[in-house]
Amino acid sequence: MPSRSDITSFGAGPARLPTEVVEEAAKALVNYNATGLGIAEHSHRSQLAVDIINQAKADLASCLDIPDDYEILFMQGGGTGQFSASVYNFVGAWVTRKYKEIFGHFEGDPTDRPELIQQLKQAVDTDLKIDYLVTGSWSQKASVEAERLLGSKHINIAADARKTNGGKFGTIPDESTWSLSDNAALVYFCSNETVDGVEFPAFPKALEPRPDGKGPIVVADMSSNILTRNIPVRNFSAIFFGAQKNLGMTGITVVVIKKSFLPPTLSQPSVALMRHLGLPVPPIIFQYETIAKNNSLYNTLSIFDVYVAGQVLKKLLQTYPDKVEGQEAVTNKKAQLIYDAIEAFPEIYRIIPNKDVRSRVNICFRVTKGDDLEAAERAFLNDGTAQGLTGLKGHRSLGGIRASNYNSIPLEGAEKLAKFIRAFAMS
């Protein structure tokens, strides 16, 4: 029976947690801060819960240097829930802006101005677009969900990696080929594709703010590479990520959103107006405005999950005085160790994505040793498991091997995997 210290899990998620965080969390589940109750038994309306949320928000803001004009929301529904939530909320924001443009300072019932309502309807029919950069399985799923909610006429696939890569993911199309819409309600991209091992090496230049401060409304899914590198938060209107890879446990999803998309600067349009325009209305728990107004406590939030995320953040801040930049250096070093080992044996291994977009956190490759690919990969996985290297099987849709190099993987774990990769090739 292996102990926790014997196993290095490279699974894509839920990911391994730092052992000291798990140990503290176990104590907190039994008796939190000598209250006689476990943390999961305390009311989410208590001051204790509010303090945990506020501290986690402050530490996340510190780790990522999140500016004061951004709000942090803890939500549920995972990244998949945010595929819907981002559409609901940013389409609502687009309608609000277009309404003000057409109705001006009119404050009465909009149905009293049928000619303006018709003009707004026409604008929705012809101008409302959401742009998607499809570079892997998750961005593809996000675009499909948006089409399900709004219909295909409102969805613009500004780039699709499969069209320039033989029908497969593994590249990011050159920015010069992107067909971005004018004034899109949002431009979505997945910063790191967990399934396909593709990562944007930097923020896309085509999406950078213009000198006048305006520019695309950019929403990014960072579920698998958040807290692994420094990011230009001000370039984004919103960032979302599930906690279960680099932040904590499955159960909470974090949204970092610019406050200018929230009241009092900008409110969602009325339900009646959205229905009049034939557009979907968000479920109340997916409405950013509602969640922000209630400090993430509109409904029963799992405070234990927020607590665990907060402990992970505290560990990161204690470990790296330079915060996420320190973690980025370690992440890059671990990734380089693993890629160097794979590349040393081109006749044995084949890395799946193109070199210029290889993910640092989801390293995807095939084992081509011998004539039987499946047998070779099965042997690789079995031998790795025997040495305590688990979770290396690739996603069912892609196959092969996937080593998820999340923050909880220590440098020693990456070194152990690299050593195994070399030894297997020479066996």
Side-chain angles (χ1 to χ4, degrees):
M1 181 73 68
S3 68
R4 185 177 179 87
S5 61
D6 294 328
I7 301 298
T8 305
S9 174
F10 291 91
R16 180 188 180 98
L17 285 163
T19 296
E20 54 267 48
V21 170
V22 174
E23 291 171 343
E24 285 301 312
K27 295 176 186 176
L29 267 177
V30 176
N31 189 350
Y32 180 69
N33 280 4
T35 59
L37 287 176
I39 193 169
E41 299 164 305
H42 281 277
S43 169
H44 68 296
R45 302 292 185 200
S46 66
Q47 187 60 47
L48 175 151
V50 172
D51 291 343
I52 288 172
I53 288 172
N54 289 342
Q55 187 60 59
K57 288 169 64 173
D59 287 342
L60 180 61
S62 178
C63 283
L64 294 176
D65 290 327
I66 297 173
D68 290 341
D69 57 341
Y70 283 73
E71 183 60 80
I72 298 170
L73 313 176
F74 293 110
M75 299 179 67
Q76 293 159 319
T80 302
Q82 290 305 316
F83 295 164
S84 305
S86 58
V87 170
Y88 288 132
N89 286 274
F90 283 95
V91 164
W94 185 93
V95 169
T96 296
R97 293 192 302 274
K98 188 61 67 173
Y99 178 90
K100 290 179 179 178
E101 180 184 314
I102 292 173
F103 280 78
H105 297 291
F106 177 75
E107 295 182 358
D109 184 346
T111 58
D112 291 340
R113 301 293 301 274
E115 75 285 2
L116 296 184
I117 283 285
Q118 185 56 41
Q119 190 177 339
L120 182 56
K121 273 188 172 181
Q122 183 64 36
V124 168
D125 287 342
T126 59
D127 299 337
L128 175 60
K129 296 291 182 184
I130 301 181
D131 287 358
Y132 284 86
L133 306 178
V134 178
T135 57
S137 300
W138 288 112
S139 50
Q140 194 267 335
K141 287 182 178 180
S143 69
V144 168
E145 175 66 358
E147 184 174 337
R148 189 181 72 86
L149 294 175
L150 293 179
S152 58
K153 72 176 181 178
H154 295 302
I155 308 306
N156 174 45
I157 306 301
D160 188 335
R162 295 168 295 185
K163 291 185 177 180
T164 56
N165 194 45
K168 297 180 179 180
F169 293 122
T171 64
I172 295 176
D174 189 273
E175 292 186 27
S176 63
T177 68
W178 296 0
S179 57
L180 296 169
S181 305
D182 291 330
N183 301 313
L186 68 90
V187 181
Y188 165 97
F189 74 95
C190 183
S191 180
N192 183 86
E193 293 281 1
T194 316
V195 171
D196 305 279
V198 170
E199 183 177 24
F200 278 80
F203 188 86
K205 290 189 177 296
L207 303 183
E208 289 180 351
R210 298 195 299 259
D212 61 4
K214 298 180 180 179
I217 294 170
V218 180
V219 176
D221 179 351
M222 293 189 173
S223 289
S224 50
N225 66 348
I226 195 68
L227 294 170
T228 69
R229 68 180 184 187
N230 197 21
I231 55 175
V233 177
R234 285 202 178 278
N235 288 2
F236 299 91
S237 297
I239 298 163
F240 66 81
F241 46 95
Q244 68 273 15
K245 300 181 189 296
N246 287 304
L247 184 62
M249 298 170 58
T250 304
I252 54 169
T253 311
V254 182
V255 177
V256 179
I257 182 170
K258 200 167 187 177
K259 289 180 180 176
S260 58
F261 289 96
L262 300 170
T265 305
L266 190 69
S267 294
Q268 288 287 302
S270 69
V271 170
L273 178 61
M274 292 295 279
R275 285 178 175 162
H276 206 78
L277 297 172
L279 293 172
V281 177
I284 197 72
I285 59 166
F286 278 167
Q287 189 173 51
Y288 297 152
E289 179 177 319
T290 299
I291 303 303
K293 192 182 299 182
N294 290 276
N295 193 28
S296 300
L297 290 172
Y298 178 79
N299 61 320
T300 307
L301 184 68
S302 174
I303 300 302
F304 177 67
D305 292 336
V306 179
Y307 166 80
V308 171
Q311 295 304 299
V312 171
L313 291 167
K314 285 190 182 301
K315 177 175 169 55
L316 190 150
L317 288 168
Q318 290 165 1
T319 305
Y320 303 108
D322 50 354
K323 299 179 288 193
V324 77
E325 291 183 3
Q327 180 65 66
E328 179 176 15
V330 174
T331 299
N332 293 347
K333 184 175 182 178
K334 292 186 296 175
Q336 194 63 54
L337 280 168
I338 298 169
Y339 277 121
D340 284 350
I342 298 168
E343 289 185 309
F345 301 93
E347 73 283 4
I348 304 296
Y349 304 112
R350 176 177 60 83
I351 298 171
I352 296 175
N354 281 16
K355 189 168 186 175
D356 57 345
V357 297
R358 290 176 186 169
S359 170
R360 300 163 305 124
V361 292
N362 298 112
I363 299 168
C364 297
F365 61 100
R366 304 304 302 258
V367 180
T368 58
K369 186 178 184 179
D371 297 327
D372 190 335
L373 182 69
E374 289 187 9
E377 292 181 340
R378 192 162 52 247
F380 182 94
L381 293 169
N382 289 339
D383 290 358
T385 299
Q387 296 191 31
L389 302 168
T390 65
L392 288 167
K393 188 174 182 179
H395 190 271
R396 60 187 179 276
S397 66
L398 193 64
I401 310 298
R402 174 175 55 176
S404 294
N405 175 37
Y406 298 138
N407 288 354
S408 61
I409 299 294
L411 181 59
E412 295 76 19
E415 290 171 339
K416 185 177 179 180
L417 177 59
K419 183 178 178 180
F420 167 69
I421 288 169
R422 292 176 185 275
F424 183 85
M426 293 185 289
S427 64

